[in-house]
Amino acid sequence: MIKKISMLSAIVILLLTASPAQTVRDSALLRYDREIDALIKQMTLEEKVEMLHAKHMFDSSGVERLGIADMKYTDGPFGIREELQPKSWTPLGLENDKATFFPTGSALAATWSAELAYEYGAAMAREARLRGKDMLLGPAINIQRIPTGGRTYEYLSEDPFLSSRLSAGYTKGVQDNGVAVCLKHYALNNQENNRGTVNVFIGERAMREIYLAPFKAAVTEADAYGVMAAYNKVNGRWCAENDVLLNKILRDEWGFAGMVISDWGGTHSTVDAINSGLNVEMPDKRFFGKALIDAVKSGQVSENLLNQRVREIMRVRLAIKPVPAEMANKEITSQPAQQQIAYRVACKSIVLLKNEGALPLQLKNKPKIAVIGANATQIMATGGLGAGVKTLYEVTPLDGLKNRIGDKAEIIYAKGYEPDGSGSANRFRKRSPEEIEKENREKEITAQKLAIEAVDAAAKANTVVFIGGNNRAVETEGKDRDDIFLPSGQDDLIRKIAEVNPNIVTVLVSGAPNDLNVVKSVSKALLISWFNGSEGGNALADVLIGKISPSGRLPFTLPAKLQDLPAYALGNYPQGRKGSDIFASLVSQTNPGGKPEAETAGNPVNSDPNTAMYSEESLVGYRWFDTRKTPVMYPFGYGLTYTTFKYATLSTNKTTYGKNDTIAIAFNLKNTGAAAAEEVAQVYVHRINPSVEWPYKELKAFSRVELNPGKSKVVALEIPVKSLQYWNDKRHAWDDDLCDIEILVGASAGDIKLRKTIHLR
Ligand code: BGC
């Protein structure tokens, strides 16, 4: 399975990835073409080019003379970004632009619910409309290849099937409510270190089966209108001028009829970029301004092609009704209906990893609860770099506990540790050795004082609720984490707390995996409650007191240690470090991108900061751990609740299937405990005698099922045999691998309850 991808083969891939067939999909965007062509005929060259670059930071021009409105963009992906000055990142300081902060990507994915993703998208679109926006810069749907990736919290999952169901649901929700999506970041933006220079070398098969799948689903199933080209290169070409990604795959093969915009500062050329399929340069006009007019005049870019790029933008413009300027920002962006959706998503995202009788919290005898940890009070709507949400409100975990528990318990709070990364600007400032030493001494003194207070509070309490994890400065755009250990000495602190009070419930407020070796061993209960939006604290409290049963499931594997992960184990990541780049445009001019210096006969010992080898191919996340039989801390799909479920009697409608058939699966699920709860039943496929190599198993269906105590239900799911195809990189096409397969039904990738063998012929 693991092959080395040499520079040569990557170039061959680049040249050969021809589209197998031109697709004409029935996109809603195609219905405007006649009208658009009549308008294009009336436009001057200058007017056309005006449409192809930014006007200000977050808009691009229409043609006022012809009644074509400007396109207004908003970040995304987990809340409508506040209004900025037209030409800078400085906020305008409005009152009405306070938006709902929605749970971030990994939290949404932990709901394992395409229906909730739809509601989430619908809610985002309604808030975007209140602000007069046409296109939402989201969903962010790259695969979580490395847990340290700075934007793992924004992305959905390590699994392409789960990511695809959610990206299609989110996209439909947004677009059914009058706003276009902009799927980002297309493609292979799986790390933040050197994101503006890194060249991803990947084989065709892994690219299609794993990394492109969520984009394909959103385009082909949900008719996504917009795509954002990523900062990085893929197989030697910048994403914003990547003919294979933009023209051949996205447009020709998937039938995408909409517009591609660059990531902010991610355009690198004029002729190449427009020919390769880029529509709009954001947020300036270095390449798509005068340079483009000149290129058309000199014949380097044909007028026909220019018209086509304009047509693609106009399709979106006509499909999305502009909000008249005087209607925008009339009402406050965050509205109760949307806040309720944020609450529902948060409730269903919280993952219970361990519970030795500590939860739900017992409040009968007015216990004393010590809430310890900086994340109990830390706001997660903003922090670090990237899309923050100026939220109307955010219920922190401590607020939530106080709201829900009231006087039924005595709550005492101790901060416990000073959070890392506070003051993100400071993190990038150079300091003298003396300054650093002084800072460290002061930090040490503060840490000791906070730890003493925390241990003191713990000693007095019946129960400790430790609320730690990362924060938005630790997990941030523009920079990957160095490791996955809990920051700020939290492991040491919790060990000290355990010495005085063993009754510890640990809640991790993180958007990406942490090393759980210490907290797992000293905690009676352990949960992940994510960067969980405006209502996150209320949702967490409702789970802790048992008002609702936890029902989130891990969207990624929690490894026993970071080094077990494929990109680390194979020496593909981290590459040599070059410091954090914030915006690609700042670095791309000085370094035109990667050359793999480590192309040796041995394993790629990758010291070139600008080269990312994906030699693990499709073995991402649980696919790697399963296939290599490497133990994990908690498997993909894992999550407990306050009841137990029994799986029984797996059946399929047939035992032998042809390549165009659909496998209908049914099994019985029973709530065998005392609490009402939701289970996420998962169906994986294991190939028994395949003709090509496969990961040990792959997720192919799932269902969230609600059951009252004692009740049972027949769960019915379908797997089209076509969805089991592989990408044949010799034929550059999808192919069947008709073999015997085992259908595995279970509660996680590590807990298979039922099996049945069927045959594909
Ligand atoms: C990010 C995008 C974002 C854009 C505009 C870029 O740095 O990569 O995700 O939409 O900025 O804020």
Coordinates of all heavy atoms in Angstrom, one line a residue, residues 326-372:
E326 N -29.5 48.9 1.6 CA -30.2 49.6 2.7 C -30.9 48.5 3.6 O -31.3 48.8 4.7 CB -31.2 50.6 2.3 CG -32.3 50.1 1.4 CD -32.0 49.9 -0.1 OE1 -30.8 50.0 -0.4 OE2 -32.9 49.6 -0.9
M327 N -30.9 47.3 3.2 CA -31.5 46.2 4.0 C -30.5 45.5 4.9 O -30.9 44.8 5.8 CB -32.2 45.2 3.1 CG -33.3 45.7 2.2 SD -34.7 46.2 3.1 CE -35.3 44.6 3.6
A328 N -29.2 45.7 4.5 CA -28.2 44.9 5.3 C -27.9 45.6 6.6 O -28.0 46.8 6.8 CB -26.9 44.9 4.5
N329 N -27.6 44.7 7.6 CA -27.3 45.2 8.9 C -28.4 46.0 9.6 O -28.1 46.9 10.5 CB -26.0 46.1 8.9 CG -24.8 45.2 8.7 OD1 -24.6 44.2 9.5 ND2 -23.9 45.5 7.8
K330 N -29.6 45.8 9.3 CA -30.7 46.4 9.9 C -31.0 45.8 11.3 O -31.3 46.5 12.2 CB -32.0 46.3 9.1 CG -32.0 47.2 7.9 CD -32.5 48.6 8.4 CE -32.3 49.6 7.3 NZ -31.5 50.7 7.7
E331 N -30.9 44.5 11.3 CA -31.1 43.8 12.5 C -29.8 43.2 13.0 O -28.9 43.0 12.2 CB -32.0 42.6 12.3 CG -33.5 42.9 12.2 CD -34.2 41.6 11.8 OE1 -34.4 40.8 12.7 OE2 -34.6 41.4 10.7
I332 N -29.7 42.9 14.3 CA -28.5 42.2 14.8 C -28.4 40.8 14.1 O -29.4 40.2 13.9 CB -28.6 42.2 16.3 CG1 -27.2 42.0 16.9 CG2 -29.5 41.1 16.8 CD1 -27.0 42.8 18.1
T333 N -27.2 40.5 13.8 CA -26.9 39.3 13.0 C -27.4 38.0 13.8 O -28.0 37.1 13.2 CB -25.4 39.1 12.6 OG1 -25.0 40.4 12.1 CG2 -25.2 38.1 11.6
S334 N -27.0 37.9 15.0 CA -27.3 36.7 15.8 C -28.8 36.7 16.2 O -29.2 37.7 16.9 CB -26.4 36.6 17.0 OG -26.7 35.5 17.8
Q335 N -29.6 35.7 15.8 CA -31.0 35.7 16.1 C -31.3 34.4 16.9 O -30.6 33.4 16.7 CB -31.8 35.7 14.8 CG -31.7 37.0 14.0 CD -32.5 38.1 14.7 OE1 -33.6 37.9 15.2 NE2 -31.9 39.3 14.6
P336 N -32.3 34.4 17.7 CA -32.6 33.3 18.6 C -32.8 32.0 17.8 O -32.3 30.9 18.3 CB -34.0 33.7 19.3 CG -33.9 35.2 19.3 CD -33.2 35.6 18.0
A337 N -33.4 32.0 16.6 CA -33.6 30.7 15.9 C -32.2 30.1 15.6 O -32.1 28.9 15.7 CB -34.4 31.0 14.6
Q338 N -31.3 30.9 15.2 CA -30.0 30.4 14.9 C -29.2 30.0 16.2 O -28.5 29.0 16.2 CB -29.2 31.5 14.2 CG -29.4 31.6 12.7 CD -30.8 32.1 12.3 OE1 -31.7 31.3 12.1 NE2 -31.0 33.4 12.4
Q339 N -29.4 30.7 17.2 CA -28.8 30.4 18.5 C -29.2 29.0 19.0 O -28.5 28.2 19.5 CB -29.1 31.4 19.6 CG -28.5 32.8 19.3 CD -29.3 33.9 19.9 OE1 -30.1 33.7 20.8 NE2 -29.0 35.1 19.5
Q340 N -30.5 28.7 18.7 CA -31.1 27.4 19.0 C -30.4 26.3 18.2 O -30.1 25.2 18.8 CB -32.6 27.3 18.7 CG -33.4 27.7 19.9 CD -33.0 27.0 21.2 OE1 -32.9 25.8 21.2 NE2 -32.7 27.7 22.2
I341 N -30.1 26.6 17.0 CA -29.4 25.6 16.2 C -28.0 25.4 16.7 O -27.5 24.2 16.8 CB -29.4 26.0 14.7 CG1 -30.9 25.9 14.2 CG2 -28.5 25.1 13.8 CD1 -31.1 26.4 12.8
A342 N -27.3 26.5 17.1 CA -26.0 26.3 17.7 C -26.0 25.5 18.9 O -25.2 24.6 19.2 CB -25.4 27.7 18.0
Y343 N -27.1 25.6 19.7 CA -27.3 24.8 20.9 C -27.5 23.3 20.6 O -26.8 22.5 21.1 CB -28.5 25.4 21.7 CG -28.8 24.5 22.9 CD1 -28.1 24.4 24.0 CD2 -30.0 23.7 22.8 CE1 -28.4 23.5 25.1 CE2 -30.3 22.8 23.9 CZ -29.5 22.8 25.0 OH -29.9 21.9 26.1
R344 N -28.3 23.1 19.6 CA -28.6 21.7 19.3 C -27.4 21.0 18.7 O -27.1 19.8 19.1 CB -29.7 21.6 18.2 CG -31.1 21.7 18.7 CD -32.1 20.8 17.9 NE -32.2 21.2 16.6 CZ -32.9 22.2 16.1 NH1 -33.5 23.0 17.0 NH2 -33.0 22.5 14.9
V345 N -26.6 21.7 17.9 CA -25.4 21.1 17.4 C -24.4 20.8 18.5 O -23.8 19.7 18.7 CB -24.7 22.0 16.3 CG1 -23.3 21.4 15.9 CG2 -25.6 22.1 15.1
A346 N -24.3 21.8 19.4 CA -23.3 21.6 20.6 C -23.7 20.4 21.4 O -22.9 19.6 21.8 CB -23.3 22.9 21.4
C347 N -25.0 20.3 21.7 CA -25.5 19.2 22.5 C -25.1 17.8 21.9 O -24.7 16.9 22.7 CB -27.0 19.2 22.6 SG -27.6 20.5 23.7
K348 N -25.3 17.7 20.6 CA -25.0 16.4 20.0 C -23.6 16.2 19.6 O -23.3 15.2 19.0 CB -26.0 16.3 18.8 CG -27.4 16.4 19.3 CD -28.4 15.9 18.3 CE -29.8 16.1 19.0 NZ -30.8 15.3 18.6
S349 N -22.7 17.2 19.9 CA -21.3 17.0 19.5 C -20.4 16.5 20.6 O -19.3 16.0 20.4 CB -20.8 18.4 19.0 OG -20.6 19.2 20.2
I350 N -20.9 16.6 21.9 CA -20.0 16.3 23.0 C -19.8 14.8 23.1 O -20.7 14.0 23.1 CB -20.7 16.9 24.3 CG1 -20.7 18.4 24.2 CG2 -19.9 16.5 25.5 CD1 -21.6 19.1 25.2
V351 N -18.5 14.5 23.2 CA -18.1 13.1 23.2 C -17.7 12.6 24.6 O -16.8 13.2 25.2 CB -17.0 12.8 22.2 CG1 -16.6 11.3 22.1 CG2 -17.3 13.3 20.8
L352 N -18.4 11.6 25.1 CA -18.0 11.0 26.4 C -17.0 9.9 26.1 O -17.4 8.9 25.4 CB -19.3 10.5 27.1 CG -19.0 9.8 28.4 CD1 -18.5 10.8 29.5 CD2 -20.4 9.3 29.0
L353 N -15.8 10.0 26.6 CA -14.8 9.0 26.3 C -14.7 7.9 27.4 O -14.3 6.8 27.2 CB -13.4 9.6 26.1 CG -13.3 10.6 24.9 CD1 -12.0 11.3 24.9 CD2 -13.5 9.8 23.6
K354 N -15.0 8.4 28.7 CA -14.8 7.5 29.8 C -15.8 7.9 30.9 O -16.0 9.1 31.1 CB -13.3 7.6 30.3 CG -13.0 6.9 31.6 CD -11.6 7.1 32.0 CE -11.4 6.3 33.4 NZ -10.0 6.4 33.8
N355 N -16.3 6.9 31.6 CA -17.2 7.3 32.7 C -17.3 6.1 33.7 O -17.9 5.1 33.4 CB -18.6 7.6 32.1 CG -19.6 8.1 33.2 OD1 -19.1 8.5 34.3 ND2 -20.9 8.1 33.0
E356 N -16.6 6.3 34.8 CA -16.6 5.3 35.8 C -17.5 5.7 36.9 O -17.1 6.0 38.0 CB -15.2 5.0 36.4 CG -14.3 4.3 35.3 CD -12.9 4.1 35.8 OE1 -12.5 4.7 36.8 OE2 -12.2 3.4 35.1
G357 N -18.8 5.9 36.5 CA -19.8 6.3 37.5 C -19.8 7.7 38.0 O -20.6 8.1 38.9
A358 N -19.0 8.5 37.4 CA -18.9 9.9 37.9 C -20.0 10.8 37.3 O -20.3 11.9 37.8 CB -17.5 10.5 37.6
L359 N -20.5 10.4 36.1 CA -21.5 11.2 35.4 C -22.8 10.4 35.3 O -22.7 9.1 35.1 CB -21.0 11.6 34.1 CG -19.9 12.7 34.1 CD1 -19.4 12.9 32.6 CD2 -20.3 14.0 34.7
P360 N -24.0 11.0 35.2 CA -24.2 12.4 35.4 C -23.9 12.8 36.8 O -23.9 12.0 37.8 CB -25.7 12.6 35.1 CG -26.2 11.3 34.6 CD -25.2 10.3 34.9
L361 N -23.5 14.1 37.0 CA -23.2 14.6 38.3 C -24.4 14.5 39.2 O -25.6 14.8 38.8 CB -22.9 16.1 38.2 CG -21.6 16.5 37.5 CD1 -21.5 18.0 37.3 CD2 -20.4 16.0 38.2
Q362 N -24.2 14.0 40.5 CA -25.3 13.8 41.4 C -25.4 15.1 42.2 O -24.5 15.6 42.9 CB -25.1 12.6 42.3 CG -25.1 11.3 41.6 CD -26.4 11.1 40.7 OE1 -27.5 11.4 41.2 NE2 -26.2 10.6 39.5
L363 N -26.6 15.7 42.2 CA -26.8 17.0 42.9 C -27.7 16.9 44.1 O -28.1 17.9 44.7 CB -27.3 18.0 41.9 CG -26.5 18.2 40.6 CD1 -27.2 19.2 39.6 CD2 -25.1 18.8 40.9
K364 N -28.0 15.7 44.5 CA -29.0 15.5 45.6 C -28.7 16.2 46.9 O -29.5 16.9 47.5 CB -29.2 14.0 45.9 CG -30.4 13.5 45.1 CD -30.7 12.1 45.5 CE -30.9 11.2 44.3 NZ -29.8 10.3 44.0
N365 N -27.4 16.1 47.4 CA -27.1 16.6 48.7 C -26.3 17.9 48.6 O -25.4 18.2 49.4 CB -26.3 15.6 49.5 CG -27.1 14.3 49.7 OD1 -28.3 14.4 49.9 ND2 -26.5 13.2 49.4
K366 N -26.7 18.7 47.7 CA -26.0 20.0 47.5 C -24.4 19.9 47.6 O -23.8 20.4 48.5 CB -26.5 21.1 48.4 CG -26.1 22.4 48.0 CD -26.8 23.6 48.7 CE -26.3 24.9 48.1 NZ -26.9 26.0 48.4
P367 N -23.8 19.1 46.6 CA -22.4 18.9 46.7 C -21.6 20.2 46.5 O -22.1 21.1 45.9 CB -22.1 17.9 45.6 CG -23.2 18.1 44.6 CD -24.4 18.6 45.4
K368 N -20.3 20.1 46.9 CA -19.4 21.2 46.5 C -18.6 20.7 45.3 O -18.0 19.7 45.3 CB -18.4 21.4 47.7 CG -17.6 22.6 47.5 CD -16.7 22.9 48.8 CE -17.4 23.9 49.7 NZ -16.5 24.4 50.8
I369 N -18.7 21.5 44.2 CA -18.0 21.2 43.0 C -16.9 22.2 42.7 O -17.2 23.4 42.6 CB -19.0 21.2 41.8 CG1 -20.1 20.2 42.0 CG2 -18.3 20.9 40.5 CD1 -21.2 20.2 41.0
A370 N -15.7 21.7 42.6 CA -14.6 22.6 42.2 C -14.4 22.6 40.7 O -14.1 21.6 40.1 CB -13.3 22.2 42.9
V371 N -14.7 23.7 40.1 CA -14.5 23.8 38.6 C -13.1 24.4 38.5 O -12.8 25.5 39.0 CB -15.5 24.7 38.0 CG1 -15.2 24.9 36.5 CG2 -16.9 24.1 38.1
I372 N -12.2 23.7 37.8 CA -10.8 24.1 37.7 C -10.4 24.1 36.3 O -10.7 23.2 35.5 CB -9.9 23.1 38.5 CG1 -10.3 23.2 40.0 CG2 -8.4 23.5 38.3 CD1 -9.5 22.2 40.9

